[in-house]
Amino acid sequence: MNKWNEIKKRLEHLGGQVTLQADGHKVTLRKVHDGKRIFVVVYVDDYQRGEWTKVEDGKPVHPEARFWRPMKRAAYKRKGYNQLKKVFGKKKADRMVTPQVIGFVPDFGTEGSAVAHLRKHFPDLEIKEEAQP
């Protein structure tokens, strides 16, 4: 079994957890719920800090945010595109409805999306063995 399937398998059930080593950081993924939804939360070196959410030119300000999910939003909804095009012109209207990275958040909706993000950005990560109680 490859490491990507192993990560998915460990996060399959609620309360599942896996610890990884990537780019000199300890990354912990844990499947949790908040009463309404189930999601995968990410801790970098056992922390989640608010300042890690910051973005400059679509890139994270802090390197720890690379492990988090980029949140993309458009300045205006696509529904109002025709009105924007009349007022600002096509080129500017296109930019206004195109989603851009506005921050990084420490959660993923599914274990598959978390693994896809890690696979794309950190292909050489290692799974740390969990200490059995």
Side-chain angles (χ1 to χ4, degrees):
M1 181 183 301
N2 69 21
K3 63 184 171 185
W4 308 113
N5 289 337
E6 176 68 22
I7 294 169
K8 279 186 190 178
K9 184 176 178 276
R10 289 189 189 184
L11 294 173
E12 195 171 45
H13 302 289
L14 189 62
Q17 177 177 315
V18 63
T19 304
L20 310 167
Q21 187 72 31
D23 282 359
H25 293 282
K26 175 185 165 190
V27 180
T28 305
L29 304 170
R30 188 175 297 140
K31 193 157 188 182
V32 297
H33 73 91
D34 64 358
K36 296 180 183 176
R37 64 186 189 108
I38 297 172
F39 55 97
V40 176
V41 68
V42 181
Y43 295 92
V44 181
D45 297 326
D46 296 326
Y47 290 101
Q48 289 180 339
R49 298 230 163 101
E51 67 254 13
W52 294 349
T53 62
K54 294 179 184 172
V55 174
E56 272 185 20
D57 299 326
K59 304 268 190 251
V61 174
H62 299 277
E64 292 86 356
R66 297 173 302 141
F67 300 99
W68 290 3
R69 176 176 60 90
M71 182 172 53
K72 294 182 179 183
R73 295 284 187 271
Y76 293 89
K77 293 184 179 177
R78 195 86 164 133
K79 189 167 110 179
Y81 176 73
N82 288 332
Q83 197 68 16
L84 290 169
K85 195 162 77 170
K86 287 177 188 175
V87 175
F88 296 103
K90 184 182 181 332
K91 192 173 188 180
K92 184 152 181 159
D94 286 344
R95 268 189 260 129
M96 294 168 86
V97 296
T98 302
Q100 299 170 355
V101 175
I102 60 168
F104 290 86
V105 289
D107 61 35
F108 290 89
T110 65
E111 60 273 8
S113 61
V115 167
H117 177 79
L118 293 172
R119 183 181 223 166
K120 179 179 178 183
H121 297 285
F122 306 100
D124 57 343
L125 63 78
E126 298 173 14
I127 299 175
K128 292 176 86 176
E129 293 304 317
E130 304 287 330
Q132 298 297 326

